Amino acid sequence: MDPIVPLQLGGGAVVTIVGLLLLGLVVLTLWSAVEIVDAYEKKALTVFGEYRGLLEPGINFIPPFVSRTYTFDMRTQTIDVPRQEAITRDNSPVTADAVVYIRVMDARRAFLEVDDYKRAVSNLAQTTLRAVLGDMELDDTLNKRQEINARIRKELDEPTDEWGVRVESVEVREVNPSKDVQQAMEQQTSAERRRRAMILEAQGERRSAIEQAQGDKQSNIIRAQGEKQSQILEAQGDAISTVLRAKSAESMGERAVIDKGMETLESIGQGESTTFVLPQELSSLVGRYGKHLTGSDVAVEDGTLESLEFDEETAEMLGLNDIEEILGQIDEEADIDVEEMEKEAEAIKEGDVGGDIKDPDDIIGESDADLETETE
């Protein structure tokens, strides 16, 4: 075995090694003495375990090798609250989870007053969530989400203030009852929808029947008005026709008498006598004959034939002077009835068919109130 020969270094090599060691020590010291803090952070500084203060954003120089820093994020942070099970006031099991938004307001208190502020806030939020749900009924836990959020935040404010942490918001994400309760709620919802559908259907049928009855009523009124006008006009026509037939018969009888008289005059004129004694009514007879020659219902003026008017007695007997007035009254009554019918039709169209048709929600509310009264 060869003997161990000690390593012999020259003076220059020793100096080089020592220099490198010193350089490394200087670099390590500088690295340990410089602490860089981000803009959204603050760091708590301890030297030999003693709290010395907070380091602000930027470059900070600290005692090397004996210092330790703890970082605090000063931005808003989110903490998920795990799903919690609770029993409501009416003994219904529910599960719920939430999210809490917090911000560190005092890094010194967050460092000195609590071990882990995030875990502390999460545990406190869990117990508070269970307590709030247990103090409410099932319907309230499902419907009053904002109230739950406000109560949880209020319960968290006081202890978290002592830790230098502010709770900015609490949001309950889900509140779920047990499966049995969910099935019962679905059945109740289905029954409620069926009841509403039946009420709406009954209301629709009732409204349709009322509108149909109103329409039939208006139709009957219009039909009656038409029949009334038709009968009046038909009666007026029959009266005029009857009078005309009577006057025609009278005219024909008078014409027969005149014709007979003229035949007598003709036979007298054929005699041998040259002297004739004529009746006093000869001029009247000739005038009446001339009238029949020109027509009993026309008059001649300036060579033009014009229809003769009925005399005053005949016109009054026929009621010709009142025809226009009667027709005007009929038209006025018809216009009034039509306007009223249009108003009623418009009211039916707008749904104003009476005050006895209630809204389905009002009917449902009344039935629920009656049911609660019977239960009490």
Side-chain angles (χ1 to χ4, degrees), residues 76-373:
T76 299
Q77 305 173 59
T78 59
I79 299 177
D80 289 329
V81 179
R83 184 173 296 275
Q84 302 296 309
E85 295 183 359
I87 303 297
T88 61
R89 185 189 300 174
D90 51 355
N91 297 323
S92 178
V94 294
T95 59
D97 61 348
V99 58
V100 181
Y101 298 89
I102 64 171
R103 180 191 291 268
V104 176
M105 305 302 296
D106 188 347
R108 176 181 177 278
R109 298 173 67 181
F111 175 66
L112 297 177
E113 300 295 336
V114 63
D115 178 21
D116 186 347
Y117 68 91
K118 288 186 177 180
R119 185 177 62 185
V121 172
S122 177
N123 292 335
L124 183 60
Q126 294 176 34
T127 57
T128 305
L129 176 60
R130 289 195 299 268
V132 171
L133 293 177
D135 195 36
M136 302 176 68
E137 295 185 355
L138 177 61
D139 292 340
D140 294 337
T141 61
L142 298 176
N143 300 326
K144 298 181 179 180
R145 190 69 58 85
Q146 295 298 328
E147 181 179 345
I148 297 174
N149 296 338
R151 291 182 60 179
I152 294 175
R153 180 180 178 182
K154 182 179 179 181
E155 294 293 332
L156 294 178
D157 276 341
E158 184 176 353
T160 55
D161 285 344
E162 297 179 358
W163 302 337
V165 177
R166 184 181 69 186
V167 177
E168 294 187 340
S169 177
V170 177
E171 296 293 336
V172 176
R173 288 186 292 197
E174 290 184 358
V175 178
N176 297 322
S178 63
K179 293 183 178 180
D180 295 338
V181 175
Q182 289 181 5
Q183 293 177 357
M185 292 175 63
E186 291 176 358
Q187 294 176 359
Q188 180 181 2
T189 303
S190 300
E192 185 70 18
R193 289 177 179 175
R194 287 195 298 269
R195 184 175 71 164
R196 285 178 176 270
M198 293 175 63
I199 291 175
L200 292 175
E201 184 178 359
Q203 289 288 333
E205 292 178 355
R206 182 180 182 184
R207 188 182 298 273
S208 176
I210 292 175
E211 291 180 356
Q212 184 176 0
Q214 291 289 342
D216 294 340
K217 174 184 175 182
Q218 303 302 330
S219 177
N220 293 333
I221 292 174
I222 294 174
R223 189 182 300 109
Q225 290 291 337
E227 292 177 356
K228 177 181 177 181
Q229 295 182 20
S230 176
Q231 291 175 2
I232 292 175
L233 294 176
E234 184 177 357
Q236 292 289 336
D238 292 342
I240 294 174
S241 176
T242 301
V243 173
L244 291 177
R245 286 196 298 269
K247 289 186 67 67
S248 176
E250 179 183 357
S251 176
M252 291 177 64
E254 184 179 1
R255 184 173 297 178
V257 173
I258 294 173
D259 290 342
K260 188 66 176 177
M262 296 305 296
E263 291 177 359
T264 302
L265 289 176
E266 182 181 359
S267 62
I268 293 174
Q270 292 177 357
E272 297 178 356
S273 176
T274 58
T275 302
F276 302 98
V277 179
L278 298 177
Q280 186 177 0
E281 293 82 1
L282 177 61
S283 60
S284 175
L285 181 64
V286 173
R288 292 166 65 184
Y289 184 73
K291 177 181 177 181
H292 285 287
L293 288 177
T294 59
S296 61
D297 58 346
V298 296
V300 179
E301 293 183 3
D302 300 331
T304 303
L305 295 178
E306 295 182 358
S307 298
L308 294 176
E309 300 292 340
F310 289 104
D311 54 26
E312 186 67 25
E313 181 181 358
T314 303
E316 182 178 357
M317 180 181 65
L318 292 176
L320 298 179
N321 297 331
D322 300 332
I323 290 178
E324 294 183 358
E325 181 179 356
I326 294 173
L327 293 179
Q329 293 178 355
I330 294 173
D331 294 337
E332 183 178 356
E333 293 176 358
D335 292 339
I336 294 175
D337 293 337
V338 170
E339 290 179 359
E340 293 179 354
M341 288 185 287
E342 289 178 352
K343 292 180 180 179
E344 293 181 1
E346 187 67 23
I348 294 172
K349 182 177 180 182
E350 294 177 356
D352 186 11
V353 295
D356 56 345
I357 297 180
K358 298 182 178 180
D359 188 76
D361 293 333
D362 296 337
I363 298 175
I364 293 172
E366 293 177 0
S367 62
D368 292 340
D370 295 338
L371 181 59
E372 292 179 359
T373 304

